[in-house]
Amino acid sequence: MAHETVEKTPVTLLGLGAMGAALARAWLAAGHPLTVWNRTPARAAGISAEGATVANSAAEAVAANTLVVVCLLDDASVEEVLAGADLAGRDLVNLTTGTPAQARARADWARERGARYLDGGIMAVPPMIGVPDAGGYVFYSGSGELFERHQATLGVPAGTTYVGRDAGFAALHDVALLSAMYGMFAGAAHAFALIRREDIDPASLAPLLADWLVAMAPTVHQTADQLRSGDYTKGVASNLAMQVAGTPTFLRTAAEQGVSPELLSPYFELMRRRLAEGSGEEDLTGVIDLLVR
Ligand code: FVH
């Protein structure tokens, strides 16, 4: 019986840093013809040995294939690397981390040069790339048609989540999730600091902390529901008045343990401000409105 051979979309990849190299290996492992370029040529040697074609310049790499993926340090390096390339007719996918405004400007910039544009925000670290069960994925935004055309190829290194035609939305979702992550890191840092000088094994606190954070995480759905309805008292389990009344205990405990309250205090201050506006029956959701200027 004859087997149908499915042609894999050829990919050009600019940038072979930690993330770029992981992306390259995933496409090569899946059988995609791959052309690569990196500013420091030595970084391409391993990828070349694994089957990639190494271009002599970024312009040569861009000329090799319609689908051009860029994964560089920052937006300035994207500008620098693509400056001499002919982008007309190219499908440019930019996986470089940047701000929403940078992504929108880069989309306009690409369109002016005759390219279609998709921006991406990578929600993964390099070891998660090419590992389907690792949970990594990439936010995409910009041309919906481009996303549909290349979804299968883009889905090889990690999952794909398209968040809209606005080219800035992938970066916005990326930064929103990572900002929440840093808030979580800050809370965990404070928790570990509290036990730092005690005879408590951090390894015994860690699973308790992880389970508690997981148990609390679904509260974001209630927050979203309250933001949509505008009713911040809907389904409140622990109202703001009660929570503000509890904050001195947290601050006194920090003082007793010799721990700086600098990570917690700004949030407590916002809670107090919202309470002072007469919102004691609400959830913590009103804090969000204090942040939005
Ligand atoms: N690594 C990670 O954990 C994160 C996960 C989430 C997404 N980020 C973003 O991915 C972009 C690339 O990150 P990376 O990990 O590959 O970064 P590096 O290993 O530092 O490699 C940087 C590459 O960029 C090249 N490069 C830098 N400046 C220039 C320039 N002016 N002209 C040309 N190329 C430039 C660099 O080349 P070289 O130093 O090897 O010559 C690397 O190829 C990034 O946006 C993360 O935020 C990764």
Side-chain angles (χ1 to χ4, degrees):
M1 197 172 78
H3 289 278
E4 194 184 340
T5 309
V6 180
E7 297 272 325
K8 299 288 178 83
T9 303
V11 181
T12 282
L13 175 65
L14 306 178
L16 293 172
M19 184 54 77
L23 295 170
R25 293 203 161 90
W27 275 313
L28 284 173
H32 287 262
L34 184 70
T35 301
V36 296
W37 175 86
N38 193 64
R39 177 181 62 179
T40 306
R43 265 180 136 164
I47 305 295
S48 166
E50 290 170 45
T53 301
V54 181
N56 291 315
S57 66
E60 187 183 301
V62 169
N65 296 306
T66 301
L67 177 58
V68 176
V69 179
V70 183
C71 188
L72 296 164
L73 186 64
D74 55 17
D75 187 60
S77 50
V78 173
E79 170 107 37
E80 197 180 317
V81 165
L82 292 178
D86 180 4
L87 291 175
R90 298 295 151 213
D91 293 345
L92 182 61
V93 179
N94 184 10
L95 300 184
T96 306
T97 302
T99 71
Q102 283 174 332
R104 289 170 186 137
R106 192 57 56 206
D108 292 342
W109 178 93
R111 265 192 299 273
E112 284 160 16
R113 284 158 181 77
R116 290 165 292 265
Y117 186 86
L118 256 187
D119 204 80
I122 304 176
M123 302 308 299
V125 290
M128 294 164 83
I129 297 298
V131 183
D133 294 335
Y137 65 95
V138 180
F139 284 122
Y140 288 97
S141 65
S143 166
E145 190 232 323
L146 197 57
F147 176 72
E148 274 172 31
R149 187 183 311 162
H150 294 300
Q151 188 176 6
T153 303
L154 297 175
V156 167
T160 59
T161 301
Y162 181 73
V163 286
R165 295 196 67 78
D166 184 326
F169 277 10
L172 190 53
H173 282 73
D174 183 1
V175 173
L177 265 59
L178 294 178
S179 299
M181 177 191 78
Y182 280 115
M184 181 189 75
F185 288 164
H190 186 85
F192 278 119
L194 288 176
I195 64 148
R196 189 74 177 129
R197 294 209 182 96
E198 304 289 348
D199 187 19
I200 298 174
D201 184 351
S204 72
L205 185 70
L208 301 172
L209 206 46
D211 287 352
W212 181 243
L213 292 172
V214 167
M216 289 296 102
T219 62
V220 298
H221 298 296
Q222 173 144 310
T223 305
D225 192 35
Q226 291 170 349
L227 286 170
R228 283 178 105 181
S229 69
D231 179 2
Y232 299 172
T233 64
K234 201 173 162 191
V236 173
S238 309
N239 71 27
L240 184 63
M242 184 284 291
Q243 297 211 47
V244 170
T247 57
T249 301
F250 290 86
L251 298 175
R252 263 203 303 275
T253 302
E256 287 171 11
Q257 297 301 110
V259 170
S260 164
E262 62 198 301
L263 289 174
L264 283 188
S265 293
Y267 191 67
F268 285 171
E269 180 50 31
L270 286 161
M271 287 164 62
R272 277 193 289 274
R273 270 173 57 198
R274 184 69 185 179
L275 179 65
E277 291 176 355
S279 306
E281 295 306 314
E282 288 183 0
D283 222 323
L284 296 170
T285 305
V287 163
I288 296 163
D289 292 338
L290 292 179
L291 290 175
V292 179
R293 293 187 197 133

